[in-house]
């Protein structure tokens, strides 16, 4: 876990820079106060700067934000990694790819996790976006919800929703028209409820009508996963909420 944290510091620094100055100063002040209480007997330690990495990580944690950490080469991101945009035309045979969130959520945590999402445009045909969750491997060069003959030896769990109303779990048949369709004007909220062990979707505050029963175990962690199918289409995490029971 520590090695993964260090490896991803550049991404977390981008998140940190996007947070307002008032929040940064509040968190830094709190850390300094705790620092003093730990080193009361050392005047030397009192005047040492708190490492930026510590302030950065604590500030990001206080915001409980998610961001896109892994994505295909044909996708560009916003500065704080909250938005991903496809940069090439759709070609079914050659440009598969998935964008993955940065937060790995233990399936045994009994937390309730809500990703508030928006996307900016609809295709004139077929599917625009597919949103859901998945486990490892987090391969940016495949569609996370099916193998397409390319990763049949890989084991994963995946569940998701398509804007045309279809739903699918990895290794299962496509279930068309399982929910009402949604479009770029809608406010989407993907809800992973690990107390109830379900994944659901709200559209403009209303239940979309289909919930997955998700598998949970000590070795299972989930991430947000999104597929974008058309050039110049962007998907954005507008807010992330996490509560514990």
């Amino acid at each position: 876990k520590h090695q993964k944290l260090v490896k991803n510091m550049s991404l977390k620094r981008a998140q940190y820079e996007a947070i307002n100055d008032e929040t940064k100063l509040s968190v830094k002040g709190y850390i300094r106060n705790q620092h003093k209480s730990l080193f009361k007997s050392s005047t030397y330690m009192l005047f040492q700067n708190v490492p930026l990495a510590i302030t950065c990580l604590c500030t990001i944690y206080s915001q409980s934000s998610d961001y896109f950490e892994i994505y295909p080469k044909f996708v560009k991101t916003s500065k704080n990694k909250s938005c991903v945009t496809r940069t090439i035309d759709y070609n079914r045979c050659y440009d598969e790819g998935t964008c993955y969130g940065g937060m790995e959520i233990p399936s045994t945590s009994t937390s309730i996790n809500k990703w508030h999402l928006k996307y900016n445009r609809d295709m004139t045909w077929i599917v625009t976006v597919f949103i859901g969750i998945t486990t490892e491997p987090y391969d940016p060069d495949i569609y996370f919800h099916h193998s397409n003959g390319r990763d049949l030896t890989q084991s994963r769990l995946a569940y998701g929703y398509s804007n045309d109303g279809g739903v699918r779990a990895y290794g299962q048949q496509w279930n068309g028209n399982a929910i009402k369709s949604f479009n770029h004007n809608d406010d989407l909220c993907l809800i992973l409820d690990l107390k109830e062990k379900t994944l659901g979707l709200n559209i403009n505050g209303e239940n979309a009508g289909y919930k997955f029963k998700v598998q949970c175990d000590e070795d299972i962690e989930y991430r947000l996963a999104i597929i974008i199918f058309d050039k110049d289409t962007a998907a954005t995490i507008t807010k992330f909420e996490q509560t514990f029971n």
Side-chain angles (χ1 to χ4, degrees), residues 14-222:
Q15 285 182 280
Y16 174 72
E17 291 175 350
I19 294 171
N20 65 74
D21 291 337
E22 182 179 355
T23 300
K24 292 177 187 175
L25 288 172
S26 296
V27 173
K28 188 172 183 178
Y30 176 79
I31 296 172
R32 288 292 293 168
N33 285 335
Q34 297 304 306
H35 189 238
K36 290 177 183 179
S37 69
L38 290 173
F39 299 101
K40 291 180 180 179
S41 62
S42 173
T43 56
Y44 172 77
M45 290 300 295
L46 289 178
F47 296 99
Q48 299 307 299
N49 288 326
V50 176
L52 177 60
I54 300 300
T55 303
C56 173
L57 292 174
C58 290
T59 305
I60 293 169
Y61 181 79
S62 76
Q63 297 290 292
S64 294
S65 58
D66 200 1
Y67 63 99
F68 291 102
E69 180 181 15
I70 303 168
Y71 41 86
K73 60 184 178 182
F74 54 78
V75 164
K76 67 179 181 180
T77 67
S78 60
K79 184 177 179 180
N80 67 352
K81 309 290 184 181
S82 66
C83 178
V84 285
T85 305
R86 187 184 179 98
T87 62
I88 64 173
D89 289 324
Y90 175 72
N91 185 318
R92 187 178 183 89
C93 298
Y94 301 107
D95 58 9
E96 294 187 0
T98 297
C99 303
Y100 301 93
M103 295 191 70
E104 286 186 308
I105 300 173
S107 64
T108 55
S109 69
T110 69
S111 61
I112 300 175
N113 306 272
K114 298 180 180 180
W115 290 271
H116 297 266
L117 306 164
K118 293 280 283 188
Y119 67 99
N120 68 334
R121 61 195 294 268
D122 289 303
M123 293 171 68
T124 57
W125 65 286
I126 203 168
V127 180
T128 306
V129 294
F130 188 87
I131 62 176
I133 59 170
T134 187
T135 59
E136 292 184 301
Y138 306 120
D139 187 340
D141 298 321
I142 63 170
Y143 293 149
F144 78 93
H145 65 316
H146 69 84
S147 66
N148 201 28
R150 294 175 55 179
D151 66 340
L152 293 175
T153 62
Q154 296 179 351
S155 176
R156 75 176 64 200
L157 298 169
Y159 314 87
Y161 300 88
S162 167
N163 66 290
D164 69 348
V167 303
R168 187 174 192 172
Y170 184 80
Q172 298 181 14
Q173 292 294 319
W174 183 264
N175 184 354
N177 301 314
I179 64 170
K180 71 173 186 176
S181 61
F182 53 86
N183 62 50
H184 70 280
N185 294 314
D186 293 326
D187 293 313
L188 308 176
C189 183
L190 189 68
I191 305 172
L192 175 61
D193 186 337
L194 291 171
K195 181 179 181 181
E196 300 296 328
K197 300 181 180 180
T198 61
L199 179 72
L201 178 69
N202 283 0
I203 304 172
N204 298 323
E206 297 183 359
N207 190 323
Y210 186 97
K211 286 188 178 182
F212 292 97
K213 291 296 286 186
V214 301
Q215 187 172 330
C216 298
D217 203 339
E218 291 184 359
D219 297 327
I220 297 173
E221 295 181 325
Y222 288 107

